[in-house]
Amino acid sequence: MRLRMILGVSALLASCGKPAPAPVEPAAPPQVRIAMVGGDTRASEVTGVGTVALQREASLGFTSAGRILRLNVNEGDRVRRGQLLAALDTTTVAADLARAQAERARAAAEYKRSETLIAQGWITRPRLENAKAALDSADAQVRAAGFQRANATIVAPGSGTVLARLAEPGQVVAAGTPVLVVGEEASGYVLRVPLSDRDAARLTRGAPAIVTLAALGDAPIKGQVVEIGGRADRATGTFAVEIGLPDDARLRSGQIGNARIVAGGAVEQVLRVPATAVFAARAGDGFVYVVDRARNRVSLRKVAIGEADDGGIRITGGLRRGELVATSRVDRLKDGMTIAPIGAVAGTTR
C-alpha cells in the first residue's frame, strides 16, 4: 500500500514538470478575388427566329373547275413573265362555250322574230321585252364561257421562282384551287419572323436589324423592318414581322435565320459579371457569392443569367450594379464564410 502511494506521487510530480500545449490559432481566411458588378446601357432589342421568303408570293389557280391536262414546271424552276405554266383539259369548257353560243343564236332569232311580230301588232310589248332579256342573258353566258376557255391556262405573272407545285396532271381541281405558288424575284427576299404582340408593339417600320443565316455561314447581315402584321395569326397568336434582306444569289425561300431587331426608343441596362463568378448554372439560373465589404463575408445568392460574351455573363436578375462578387475559389466558399478580398474591383463595364 505504501509503495503504491509513493509511485502515484512520483507520477504526479513528473507530469507537472511538462510544459502546457500551445493554443491552436484559427486558420487565416482564404484570399479571394472579387469584382464589381458592371454594365452598360444599350438600345432594347427584340429577338426571334424566322424563315426566308420572297416578299411577294402568289398562289396561282384556274378560274374554272376541270381536269389538269399538263403542268410545265417543277418546284425550283425559274420562270419568265407570260410563260405558260399549266393548262386544263378544255373539252368541257369548249362544250360549255358551244352551248352558250347556240343559246345566244336561238335568243337572237327569237328577238328578231318578236320585233317583226310587234310591228304587225301580233304580240304585246312585254313579250318583246322578255325576248330582249333572254338575248342579253345569252350574251352574258357566251362571255362567261369564253372567259373560262381563255383562262383555262396559268401563265407567270412575272419573272420568279416556282416555290410549290400543289397538283399533278390528271387531277381534277375546283375553281380557284391553288395549283402553283410562284415567288416574284423582283420583290426581293425578306425574313419573316413571328413575334408576340408585346414585342411587335415595340417595333416600327425601318427599325434596323441584324440577321444571321446558318446557310450563309452565320455572317451578320444588315436589314430593316419593312412590314409589321396588322393582325395576329389565328392559330399561333403571333404577328408576322418582315425584315428586308440585301440581294444575295445564295438566298433561298425556306432558309432559317435569327434576327436581332432594335426596338425604338427604349433603353435597357445590361449587367455583367466575369464568367468565373457564376457556378451551378442551369436553365437560365446560376449562383454567385456576393461580398459584404464591410464584414468581408460572402453570401450565396441565386441569379438569373443570360447569354455569355467577351464581357462576361449577362445578369438579368438578382444583382444590382456596383455590388461585389467573388471570382475565385467559388467551389471552396460557403455561405457566410469570412474571406480576405484581393484584386481590383473595377469589374466588367464596357
Side-chain angles (χ1 to χ4, degrees):
M1 182 69 177
R2 183 176 179 183
L3 178 59
R4 284 197 299 269
M5 291 179 62
I6 292 174
L7 293 175
V9 172
S10 300
L12 179 62
L13 292 174
S15 63
C16 290
K18 293 182 179 180
V24 179
E25 295 184 1
Q31 292 184 331
V32 176
R33 293 189 178 277
I34 64 175
M36 181 181 293
V37 178
D40 55 8
T41 57
R42 70 180 184 187
S44 178
E45 290 183 344
V46 172
T47 60
V49 179
T51 55
V52 174
L54 285 163
Q55 188 171 12
R56 287 196 291 271
E57 298 179 354
S59 296
L60 307 179
F62 298 103
T63 58
S64 60
R67 183 177 65 86
I68 298 176
L69 181 63
R70 62 180 181 273
L71 282 171
N72 299 331
V73 291
N74 295 308
E75 292 185 10
D77 288 352
R78 302 281 181 122
V79 298
R80 65 184 184 279
R81 183 181 182 86
Q83 178 180 340
L84 178 65
L85 305 181
L88 286 177
D89 184 344
T90 57
T91 302
T92 302
V93 176
D96 290 341
L97 178 59
R99 188 182 304 111
Q101 290 172 335
E103 178 60 23
R104 186 200 178 282
R106 186 201 64 77
E110 178 64 23
Y111 178 66
K112 185 176 181 180
R113 186 165 48 254
S114 296
E115 284 184 318
T116 302
L117 292 177
I118 197 172
Q120 298 174 355
W122 291 100
I123 63 173
T124 62
R125 181 157 294 277
R127 181 173 174 179
L128 177 66
E129 292 174 349
N130 288 339
K132 181 64 168 63
L135 177 59
D136 292 341
S137 176
D139 281 336
Q141 292 293 333
V142 170
R143 289 195 298 271
F147 176 82
Q148 290 183 349
R149 181 171 184 177
N151 289 275
T153 58
I154 297 176
V155 297
S159 297
T161 304
V162 178
L163 303 178
R165 173 169 160 161
L166 307 176
E168 296 298 330
Q171 183 175 338
V172 177
V173 294
T177 301
V179 174
L180 296 168
V181 179
V182 176
E184 185 178 343
E185 291 182 347
S187 65
Y189 283 95
V190 296
L191 183 73
R192 290 200 176 107
V193 183
L195 295 176
S196 66
D197 54 352
R198 180 177 300 179
D199 286 341
R202 298 166 59 195
L203 302 179
T204 58
R205 285 190 178 184
I210 298 296
V211 175
T212 56
L213 300 171
L216 274 59
D218 286 327
I221 301 173
K222 292 183 179 180
Q224 64 177 13
V225 176
V226 295
E227 187 172 338
I228 301 174
R231 63 178 296 177
D233 184 272
R234 293 182 178 179
T236 63
T238 58
F239 288 80
V241 174
E242 294 185 357
I243 301 171
L245 301 176
D247 291 336
D248 193 317
R250 297 174 297 171
L251 291 175
R252 295 289 185 274
S253 290
Q255 292 171 337
I256 305 299
N258 294 278
R260 293 188 293 112
I261 312 168
V262 176
V267 175
E268 63 179 353
Q269 181 77 27
V270 180
L271 300 180
R272 291 183 178 84
V273 298
T276 55
V278 180
F279 63 96
R282 183 179 182 183
D285 292 326
F287 292 88
V288 298
Y289 282 108
V290 179
V291 180
D292 182 350
R293 198 68 176 85
R295 299 187 303 164
N296 287 340
R297 290 180 180 274
V298 295
S299 58
L300 183 64
R301 187 181 299 179
K302 185 178 182 180
V303 294
I305 59 176
E307 70 278 2
D309 55 27
D310 293 340
I313 295 180
R314 184 182 176 191
I315 300 297
T316 59
L319 285 176
R320 298 187 305 275
R321 184 169 185 169
E323 288 189 297
L324 302 174
V325 294
T327 62
S328 66
R329 297 191 176 187
V330 294
D331 57 331
R332 302 179 185 180
L333 300 180
K334 295 182 179 180
D335 190 28
M337 188 175 182
T338 301
I339 65 169
I342 60 173
V345 296
T348 59
T349 57
R350 294 201 301 175

